[in-house]
Amino acid sequence: MFSVVGSFVGIRLVLKIMVVSLFIGAVMAVVKMIIRNNFTRRFRQLSNYVIRCMQEKRITVYYDRNCEGEDGIIPFTVAISLAVLICVY
């Protein structure tokens, strides 16, 4: 989606859109964790993943949608779209 947006707005603005969309996505993720009351569980899972990768000295699969469902997924396309609206208008 960034490449499509970048083809219309140029490299400088698409870089700004990327940064803004990361912040919007982070806010969306935190809000979702607070609403679902799984903030501590998600951060515990992240810390366990980082420790496991350091111990095994390789990157493993962090999130398996088949096992865990849609609980840890945010619609990042929404964050990108909102960033485009904020940065362009």
Side-chain angles (χ1 to χ4, degrees):
M1 190 161 175
F2 286 124
S3 60
V4 173
V5 171
S7 68
F8 288 103
V9 297
I11 187 80
R12 285 193 178 170
L13 190 54
V14 80
L15 290 175
K16 183 178 177 183
I17 290 169
M18 286 179 177
V19 171
V20 172
S21 67
L22 285 175
F23 284 116
I24 292 172
V27 169
M28 289 171 55
V30 168
V31 168
K32 184 174 182 178
M33 286 187 284
I34 291 170
I35 289 172
R36 293 183 181 255
N37 201 20
N38 64 358
F39 195 82
T40 55
R41 184 178 64 86
R42 298 300 306 170
F43 276 100
R44 190 176 318 120
Q45 181 179 356
L46 176 63
S47 66
N48 291 338
Y49 170 75
V50 170
I51 291 168
R52 186 175 61 243
C53 287
M54 289 171 52
Q55 288 174 342
E56 295 179 4
K57 295 183 178 159
R58 66 183 181 98
I59 297 175
T60 59
V61 176
Y62 172 70
Y63 188 82
D64 186 8
R65 185 184 271 185
N66 296 329
C67 295
E68 300 183 44
E70 303 289 324
D71 187 43
I73 298 174
I74 61 163
F76 196 64
T77 308
V78 174
I80 296 171
S81 300
L82 288 173
V84 168
L85 291 174
I86 290 170
C87 292
V88 172
Y89 296 109

